[in-house]
Short mmCIF file of all heavy atoms in Angstrom, two decimals:
data_model
loop_
_atom_site.label_atom_id
_atom_site.label_comp_id
_atom_site.label_asym_id
_atom_site.label_seq_id
_atom_site.Cartn_x
_atom_site.Cartn_y
_atom_site.Cartn_z
N GLY B 307 6.70 0.87 -22.61
CA GLY B 307 6.45 0.83 -21.24
C GLY B 307 5.47 -0.26 -20.97
O GLY B 307 4.88 -0.80 -21.85
N SER B 308 5.20 -0.54 -19.77
CA SER B 308 4.20 -1.53 -19.43
C SER B 308 3.04 -0.98 -18.59
O SER B 308 3.22 0.04 -17.90
CB SER B 308 4.79 -2.64 -18.59
OG SER B 308 6.01 -3.17 -19.10
N VAL B 309 1.85 -1.70 -18.70
CA VAL B 309 0.79 -1.11 -17.96
C VAL B 309 -0.04 -2.34 -17.59
O VAL B 309 -0.17 -3.32 -18.35
CB VAL B 309 -0.07 -0.15 -18.81
CG1 VAL B 309 -0.28 -0.60 -20.23
CG2 VAL B 309 -1.44 0.12 -18.23
N GLY B 310 -0.55 -2.45 -16.30
CA GLY B 310 -1.18 -3.61 -15.93
C GLY B 310 -1.85 -3.58 -14.65
O GLY B 310 -1.89 -2.54 -14.01
N VAL B 311 -2.54 -4.64 -14.23
CA VAL B 311 -3.11 -4.66 -12.89
C VAL B 311 -2.77 -5.92 -12.20
O VAL B 311 -2.47 -6.98 -12.82
CB VAL B 311 -4.78 -4.53 -13.02
CG1 VAL B 311 -5.14 -3.39 -13.88
CG2 VAL B 311 -5.27 -5.86 -13.55
N LEU B 312 -2.90 -5.90 -10.87
CA LEU B 312 -2.71 -6.98 -9.96
C LEU B 312 -3.94 -7.18 -9.19
O LEU B 312 -4.35 -6.20 -8.49
CB LEU B 312 -1.52 -6.86 -9.19
CG LEU B 312 -1.16 -7.96 -8.20
CD1 LEU B 312 0.34 -7.96 -7.93
CD2 LEU B 312 -1.77 -7.85 -6.96
N GLY B 313 -4.61 -8.30 -9.17
CA GLY B 313 -5.76 -8.57 -8.43
C GLY B 313 -5.82 -9.90 -7.89
O GLY B 313 -4.99 -10.70 -8.23
N PRO B 314 -6.89 -10.32 -7.24
CA PRO B 314 -7.10 -11.67 -6.87
C PRO B 314 -7.30 -12.56 -8.02
O PRO B 314 -7.78 -12.09 -9.02
CB PRO B 314 -8.39 -11.62 -5.97
CG PRO B 314 -9.16 -10.35 -6.51
CD PRO B 314 -8.12 -9.46 -6.90
N ILE B 315 -6.99 -13.80 -7.89
CA ILE B 315 -7.19 -14.71 -9.06
C ILE B 315 -8.50 -14.77 -9.45
O ILE B 315 -8.85 -14.70 -10.64
CB ILE B 315 -6.83 -16.21 -8.49
CG1 ILE B 315 -5.39 -16.33 -8.24
CG2 ILE B 315 -7.27 -17.14 -9.64
CD1 ILE B 315 -5.02 -17.82 -8.18
N ARG B 316 -9.45 -14.61 -8.56
CA ARG B 316 -10.90 -14.56 -8.82
C ARG B 316 -11.09 -13.12 -9.36
O ARG B 316 -11.49 -12.20 -8.58
CB ARG B 316 -11.55 -14.71 -7.49
CG ARG B 316 -13.04 -14.90 -7.49
CD ARG B 316 -13.51 -15.02 -6.12
NE ARG B 316 -13.30 -13.78 -5.33
CZ ARG B 316 -13.91 -12.68 -5.37
NH1 ARG B 316 -14.95 -12.60 -6.24
NH2 ARG B 316 -13.65 -11.60 -4.65
N MET B 317 -10.91 -13.00 -10.67
CA MET B 317 -10.97 -11.49 -11.24
C MET B 317 -11.77 -11.58 -12.48
O MET B 317 -11.82 -12.64 -13.21
CB MET B 317 -9.50 -11.18 -11.57
CG MET B 317 -9.32 -9.89 -12.23
SD MET B 317 -7.68 -9.74 -13.00
CE MET B 317 -6.71 -9.24 -11.63
N PRO B 318 -12.51 -10.56 -12.79
CA PRO B 318 -13.29 -10.58 -13.94
C PRO B 318 -12.37 -10.35 -15.25
O PRO B 318 -12.27 -9.21 -15.66
CB PRO B 318 -14.34 -9.35 -13.84
CG PRO B 318 -13.64 -8.48 -12.91
CD PRO B 318 -12.75 -9.43 -12.04
#
Side-chain angles (χ1 to χ4, degrees):
Chain B
S308 310
V309 47
V311 308
L312 179 152
I315 294 200
R316 192 181 61 77
M317 177 196 274

